[in-house]
Amino acid sequence: MSLTGLGVDVADVTATPGTALHGLGVGRGVVVAPLAVLRPATQAPADEPPAADREAAAQQVLDAFAEVAAALSAQAARATGALAEVLTATAAIAADAAVAADAATRVRAGTGPATAVTEAVEGFVTMFTAVGGYLAERVTDLRSVRDRVVARLLGVPEPGLGALSVPSVVAGIDLAPADTAALDLAFVVGLVTEEGGPTGHTAIIAGQLGLPCLVRTPGITAVPDGTVVALDAAAGQVLVDPPAAVRAQLQQRADAERELARDTAPGATADGHRIDLLANIGTAADADRAAATAVAGSGLFRTEVLFLGRQTAPTLTEQTDVYGSVLRAFGDRKVVVRTLDAGADKPLAFATQPDEENPALGVRGYRLVRTLPDLLDTQLAALGAVAADLPEGDRDHLWVMAPMVATPAEARDFATRARAAGITRVGVMVEVPAAALRAREILAEVDFVSLGTNDLAQYTMATDRLRGELADLLDPWQPAVLDLVAATARAGVELGKPVGVCGESAADPLMALVLTGLGITSLSMSAGAVPAARFAVRRHTLAQCQAIADAALAAGSAAEARAAALALTAPEVRSALTLR
């Protein structure tokens, strides 16, 4: 198994004591704990005979798919945020009649049931991979469904972990959403995978849960189950069976990270220049957890979680209730609500566009207003009703923005609709290079903008953000991406309007210094990433942040930009946050 993006063959990796396995770090955490390796999937027997009663076996296959879909849906209902979102999408794959029907047809033709499922799924894998875009991103989920269906047909345990009894680092080739949902999070202290990417499912879920994580780490599943490992997300490595001195050193770092969380002061530079530090959320439960931490509010409320996994859109009353509960959780702090961002990797049964060859470039986000205007109108009506129920002095705490806006005309149209619904603070997302290049004209139409750096990098670099082997092109330090962020921030400074960042780059404390220096006014991230960003910003003046930003912008590559920023960062910050 070759991971060509890293130039490493897993078979060549040895996992002897003291070995360092390298990957792409997600977050900043460090932890020392025994490894728990996911149980591999059971394969269909090589010589599986045809079923004695082919029609009964075909029905058994159909039932197994339905049972897996129901189990995944139940897990999604218990989950929150990004995890609920991806579980719902996986459940939809299991419930897709086409895959199950293909497998049942093969059984009726004389193929053994488990083999029929495997062949049917691989046929769809080939098709999904060829189509690319959203469908290619679903291959891991499709194979996860296959493994669970085959296990049911063979009467063996589903792939995953046994019961954990001690805090453990969980490892696997890749973690499907269903794998993560099955984990007992009381005993999971870190995640490591051999595949995946820094913006894939595992990374997103690790961020939501505040777990240190490494992806694209060749050889991790070859390490014997129960071996003590040291997972260092900041350094991008796992040490196998580290010596006592190393364990003690890493424990000190873990203690220092916890100490950072004790600082609850507002986000600001050393000389008092304010920058709001906010939390990304997806559900009312997320809002309750984030509101209990030292954040200035939420800079990204992903409302699509409420829409996913349904056959019809949530009603006006349902939406009003959820949005109201989120606003109440944050009290007098602001909440930036993103209107429905469906399409691409977040399809809706009631809004899927037919025959889109490349959904990431199709009818997604705000563009749904072209074909399904009632979805946006109902959502804005619900948000307007919430605003009307707020005390007059608190209505400015509700900010509403539209995703995937590309032109000033789209920004103007959205602002008109939102203000007509009674919303007073209206903005748009800057995720498309066209919007960044015309940021001044767009800001003339709205009250604020927020940069979604994940999608902005994807569209700027023409790179699928879930392709782990292309992670270097998706680096937020890429000069072209930094240029677009700087152009947007500059427009905000000139017009005196807020410009936030709610992509993953906001969670990088070194990038937080650059963004502050560029004139960004708020940073929104997982709540667990806020303490490190607060620590870094508070130990630099605005002038120092501006110098760091200038140095990064002058660099010729992503690596050079980060190195230039790091060289100007205060030594105490580099040491405390282990920035290297």
Side-chain angles (χ1 to χ4, degrees), residues 212-548:
C213 174
L214 252 65
V215 297
R216 299 192 66 76
T217 312
I220 190 62
T221 59
V223 179
D225 203 72
T227 302
V228 173
V229 298
L231 165 57
D232 187 343
Q237 72 175 15
V238 175
L239 294 177
V240 178
D241 195 12
V246 173
R247 298 187 193 192
Q249 182 183 33
L250 294 177
Q251 187 58 55
Q252 288 179 344
R253 272 192 45 208
D255 293 342
E257 292 279 347
R258 282 191 291 273
E259 186 62 30
L260 292 180
R262 299 181 188 276
D263 184 356
T264 60
T269 60
D271 52 345
H273 174 76
R274 178 177 173 178
I275 182 161
D276 284 340
L277 301 177
L278 309 161
N280 294 341
I281 62 172
T283 66
D286 290 347
D288 290 336
R289 284 191 293 270
T293 67
V295 295
S298 173
L300 175 62
F301 174 19
R302 303 181 180 97
T303 58
E304 57 272 10
V305 177
L306 179 61
F307 290 73
L308 291 170
R310 302 175 58 119
Q311 296 304 306
T312 59
T315 65
L316 175 66
T317 299
E318 287 178 287
Q319 294 188 54
T320 302
D321 289 345
V322 171
Y323 305 151
S325 66
V326 169
L327 265 293
R328 287 190 296 273
F330 282 101
D332 60 356
R333 291 172 284 180
K334 77 175 180 182
V335 174
V336 184
V337 178
R338 182 176 70 189
T339 56
L340 182 60
D341 189 17
D345 59 339
K346 289 166 279 194
L348 298 178
F350 49 88
T352 298
Q353 304 302 306
D355 303 321
E356 278 197 319
E357 293 186 1
N358 193 337
L361 300 180
V363 183
R364 59 168 294 198
Y366 182 65
R367 298 172 183 181
L368 283 170
V369 78
R370 298 167 179 246
T371 55
L372 298 165
D374 287 350
L375 283 177
L376 179 63
D377 290 343
T378 301
Q379 188 167 30
L380 291 177
L383 290 164
V386 171
D389 281 344
L390 294 172
E392 188 170 348
D394 290 345
R395 289 176 187 171
D396 274 354
H397 297 152
L398 174 61
W399 298 31
V400 180
M401 62 183 180
M404 283 297 290
V405 166
T407 68
E410 288 179 332
R412 183 185 315 119
D413 180 66
F414 176 70
T416 300
R417 290 172 178 268
R419 289 169 181 149
I423 298 160
T424 58
R425 300 298 295 269
V426 181
V428 299
M429 293 281 290
V430 174
E431 304 160 284
V432 182
L437 292 171
R438 304 295 287 178
R440 185 180 181 86
E441 290 75 11
I442 285 177
L443 272 166
E445 304 292 344
V446 295
D447 303 308
F448 70 96
V449 297
S450 184
L451 286 145
T453 52
N454 296 346
D455 270 331
L456 183 62
Q458 172 176 244
Y459 292 127
T460 301
M461 304 304 293
T463 303
D464 186 333
R465 66 180 192 164
L466 293 183
R467 298 296 298 183
E469 67 271 30
L470 299 177
D472 59 310
L473 295 178
L474 291 168
D475 193 327
W477 293 93
Q478 283 286 353
V481 179
L482 284 178
D483 284 345
L484 293 175
V485 173
T488 306
R490 187 161 51 248
V493 171
E494 291 172 359
L495 296 179
K497 293 187 175 182
V499 176
V501 170
C502 59
E504 289 302 310
S505 64
D508 178 351
L510 188 56
M511 180 63 82
L513 299 176
V514 172
L515 296 173
T516 300
L518 291 176
I520 296 298
T521 57
S522 66
L523 302 172
S524 193
M525 63 200 82
S526 64
V530 169
R534 177 186 286 113
F535 180 83
V537 171
R538 288 190 62 197
R539 278 151 182 80
H540 294 81
T541 65
L542 178 59
Q544 288 173 320
C545 291
Q546 290 168 338
I548 293 171

Side-chain angles (χ1 to χ4, degrees), residues 1 3 6 10 172-174 192-196 214-222:
M1 174 183 179
L3 298 182
L6 293 177
V10 172
I173 297 298
D174 200 0
V192 189
T193 64
E194 294 201 358
E195 297 180 356
L214 252 65
V215 297
R216 299 192 66 76
T217 312
I220 190 62
T221 59

Side-chain angles (χ1 to χ4, degrees), residues 30-68:
V30 58
V31 65
V32 178
L35 195 69
V37 181
L38 283 167
R39 184 172 51 233
T42 300
Q43 304 299 311
D47 54 352
E48 187 181 23
D53 185 338
R54 296 183 185 182
E55 188 56 43
Q59 185 60 50
Q60 184 184 20
V61 166
L62 295 174
D63 290 345
F65 272 96
E67 290 166 4
V68 169

Side-chain angles (χ1 to χ4, degrees), residues 58 61-62 65 94-108 116 120 124:
V61 166
L62 295 174
F65 272 96
D96 190 310
V99 183
D102 186 332
T105 298
R106 293 171 186 268
V107 171
R108 294 186 182 104
F124 277 84

